Amino acid sequence: MERTAAVILAAGQGTRMKSELPKVMHTLAGRPLIYFPVRAALDAGCAEVIVVVGHGREHVSSYLAKTFGDRVRTAVQESQRGTGDAAKSGLDAVDATRDNCDAALVFYGDAPLLAAADLSQVARAFQEDARCTLALATCEVADPHGYGRILRDERGDIVEIREHRDLRTDAERAVREINPGIFIAKLDFWHTALAELRPNNAQGELYLTDVVSFARGSNQLVRTAPSRDEVLLGVNDRQQLIEAEIAIHERIARDLRRSGVTVRAGARIDEGVRIGHDTVIETGVVLRGNTVIGARATIDVGCVLTNVVVDDGAVLKPYSVLADSHVGPRAQVGPFSHVRPDSDIGEEAHVGNFVETKKTRLGRGAKANHLAYLGDGVVGAAANIGAGTIFCNYDGYRKHTTVIGEGAFIGSDSQIVAPVTIGDGAYVATGTTVTRDVPSDALAISRVRQENKEGYAVRLRARLKPVKKDPDGSKT
Ligand code: UD1
Ligand code: CA
């Protein structure tokens, strides 16, 4: 498609979403709706991709710039006067000389299931016959309600597309062949045909679909190409948004299974997540953002990962929540761990139940198996952090760092008051409050010496003997 531009219509308000957010910024499978048609245009190799924006255009444009850089441009449709008017705004922005474009695909920005192959198919129908002026996709559906119907003559040639609200007869209403919304024509045709549009319809809008009757009226050849029914799943309301999302999640899971990943039913893997072979993704797992998982890993039931890199062979036990972090090869996390941003769980390190980490690096083989808060820390290889350990990292104003040396042993229920450094091989006795640095191989202990008072418990019980109640409720 080196000489073909793509014009994607996305200026509409999306009234049926009942939302302050522009329709194409609603997310599905972790990406705004507009991501998907743009991706399809780029994958199809279009010379130039132009998105027509209008309603909420700052929001849409800034997302597009951030995500696609200069591979995508926007054109503004000042007021939303219909899909034909939107197409005109987009085509006016096509730089025919710069990109050497002579044709343009025009399609709707609210169709998230549209893929590059769907665009190529219509382009092929167009290119196959040199006499062809306009080609478009069509699709047979069980329930055509709401879609533009494809009306054909007795020879079976397409005559026009009539919008649902403009249908006149029951015979027209019964037509199940509809317009999913992919068009291609030469730039000259677009400019001429769009200039001829008139708002003579139920909605008083300029309809893109009227280019069909224009072409036929001027005896030009219009070809149709059958498309997958998925393509037409245009998102107009939130019910359709979720139907499309379910289809995308299902497609992602299917592709991963084919590539050697076991994805159980009920896992939700967003667009863009990558996973290596022989990894198992259990039910209820949610993988979001730029998450990348290696080979032979296990992500057990109910884990939620957002922008996490998990290396080969790592095991994430059930119900662990991780964000913006790295889990090294063969490390183990969970069950019920909370790995917060900028954590780096080293090779073969263990983070166990009810352990929270934040901006903390655990060296190779380090372990924090139970009930700990590790914030702003650097933990050396093979160090052992006992149950109930707290890195006291915050003084109410600033965060401070705790450094724990290789092979150090932190006894249970210790508080490490940062900034502080505990040397290699040092030992912190259970229940210690560490406020000063501990040299390598030293023992730090800060607890009060134990005292046993013989027989004291007996005397104590006598003194505290509970007041008993009689069955009738009066005190004795
Ligand atoms: C449109 C088609 C219909 C087709 C259906 C497929 C027309 C007139 N109708 O109907 O034949 O079966 O899609 O899903 O084309 N837009 C603009 N500017 C505007 C109006 C719309 O950019 O002034 C954009 C919208 O943002 C949206 C797309 O065009 O992404 C389609 O508009 P929408 O109002 O959803 O059209 P439908 O009623 O679904
Ligand atoms: Ca629509």
Side-chain angles (χ1 to χ4, degrees):
M1 300 239 223
E2 325 74 69
R3 304 195 61 194
T4 304
V7 171
I8 306 175
L9 313 186
Q13 178 172 4
T15 321
R16 291 163 278 183
M17 297 299 281
K18 301 202 165 61
S19 176
E20 289 173 11
L21 200 64
K23 173 165 80 176
V24 294
M25 289 307 293
H26 281 261
T27 59
L28 61 174
R31 309 264 180 172
L33 187 34
I34 191 64
Y35 169 86
F36 297 93
V38 169
R39 180 82 262 162
L42 291 169
D43 288 350
C46 291
E48 178 155 29
V49 179
I50 292 166
V51 178
V52 182
V53 295
H55 186 81
R57 65 183 183 235
E58 300 77 18
H59 200 152
V60 183
S61 304
S62 86
Y63 167 74
L64 291 171
K66 197 177 76 197
T67 311
F68 297 105
D70 57 11
R71 290 180 296 162
V72 173
R73 289 199 293 134
T74 52
V76 176
Q77 183 194 19
E78 289 297 344
S79 60
Q80 281 66 69
R81 301 195 296 138
T83 50
D85 180 61
K88 207 187 295 177
S89 307
L91 283 150
D92 285 347
V94 173
D95 193 337
T97 42
R98 194 188 71 176
D99 294 302
N100 202 20
C101 285
D102 62 0
L105 277 157
V106 176
F107 53 99
Y108 304 131
D110 63 357
L113 296 168
L114 178 128
D118 302 311
L119 299 174
S120 315
Q121 199 177 2
V122 183
R124 220 173 302 124
F126 179 66
Q127 284 147 2
E128 265 165 14
D129 189 333
R131 295 166 308 153
C132 179
T133 299
L134 171 69
L136 61 132
T138 79
C139 192
E140 288 265 355
V141 291
D143 177 12
H145 187 92
Y147 291 105
R149 307 295 206 280
I150 306 294
L151 303 184
R152 294 180 181 271
D153 62 18
E154 53 295 338
R155 292 171 47 207
D157 291 335
I158 183 168
V159 181
E160 71 168 284
I161 299 175
R162 192 164 298 161
E163 288 308 300
H164 185 89
R165 286 164 68 173
D166 298 302
L167 297 173
R168 289 183 289 235
T169 65
D170 284 343
E172 286 173 359
R173 274 182 272 274
V175 171
R176 294 195 297 114
E177 190 183 12
I178 61 98
N179 164 36
I182 306 172
F183 302 81
I184 183 169
K186 293 271 192 238
L187 295 179
D188 309 341
F189 172 80
W190 281 124
H191 291 301
T192 325
L194 293 172
E196 291 298 321
L197 296 181
R198 297 290 175 269
N200 303 327
N201 53 58
Q203 303 191 76
E205 290 188 347
L206 299 174
Y207 285 168
L208 170 64
T209 43
D210 284 349
V211 298
V212 173
S213 47
F214 170 80
R216 275 301 306 256
S218 46
N219 282 322
Q220 310 197 62
L221 178 65
V222 180
R223 299 190 81 198
T224 58
S227 73
R228 300 177 306 135
D229 359 335
E230 277 214 323
V231 177
L232 85 152
L233 236 176
V235 171
N236 298 317
D237 59 30
R238 293 184 201 236
Q239 178 60 30
Q240 290 169 328
L241 181 78
I242 300 310
E243 283 165 15
E245 181 174 63
I246 290 168
I248 290 177
H249 278 145
E250 198 39 59
R251 193 232 319 132
I252 292 169
R254 204 169 45 230
D255 291 350
L256 284 166
R257 288 171 187 139
R258 284 199 188 115
S259 75
V261 179
T262 297
V263 179
R264 306 269 185 225
R268 238 185 62 191
I269 302 168
D270 280 352
E271 182 72 25
V273 169
R274 287 182 285 139
I275 308 178
H277 67 87
D278 286 317
T279 284
V280 178
I281 308 294
E282 274 294 346
T283 189
V285 166
V286 177
L287 303 179
R288 299 174 175 149
N290 301 318
T291 292
V292 180
I293 298 174
R296 298 176 303 281
T298 299
I299 314 296
D300 215 329
V301 177
C303 288
V304 180
L305 277 66
T306 310
N307 305 321
V308 178
V309 175
V310 177
D311 290 343
D312 295 351
V315 176
L316 273 55
K317 297 176 190 173
Y319 302 105
S320 295
V321 177
L322 300 84
D324 304 299
S325 290
H326 170 234
V327 178
R330 297 174 305 284
Q332 292 190 26
V333 173
F336 301 105
S337 300
H338 189 186
V339 175
R340 292 172 49 208
D342 299 323
S343 295
D344 185 355
I345 313 301
E347 187 174 349
E348 291 174 356
H350 289 190
V351 172
N353 43 192
F354 310 110
V355 172
E356 172 181 347
T357 67
K358 190 224 74 180
K359 209 173 175 188
T360 287
R361 192 168 81 229
L362 262 66
R364 183 188 172 130
K367 292 190 174 72
N369 273 326
H370 338 262
L371 301 153
Y373 172 62
L374 314 180
D376 300 283
V378 181
V379 178
N384 194 309
I385 312 284
T389 297
I390 310 278
F391 289 2
C392 307
N393 61 329
Y394 188 46
D395 57 17
Y397 296 94
R398 272 176 283 273
K399 303 285 169 65
H400 303 283
T401 304
T402 295
V403 179
I404 294 187
E406 287 188 14
F409 184 97
I410 312 300
S412 300
D413 194 28
S414 297
Q415 302 90 52
I416 319 294
V417 183
V420 77
T421 297
I422 295 172
D424 292 349
Y427 215 98
V428 171
T430 291
T432 295
T433 301
V434 178
T435 52
R436 286 184 291 130
D437 289 354
V438 181
S440 293
D441 293 321
L443 168 75
I445 181 164
S446 73
R447 62 186 182 232
V448 175
R449 191 174 288 277
Q450 180 175 331
E451 192 185 340
N452 291 340
K453 300 189 173 178
E454 293 290 338
Y456 193 100
V458 177
R459 296 196 298 280
L460 189 70
R461 271 196 295 275
R463 204 170 77 219
L464 299 177
K465 198 169 184 179
V467 180
K468 277 205 186 123
K469 280 183 179 170
D470 253 4
D472 69 1
S474 63
K475 288 178 182 166
T476 56

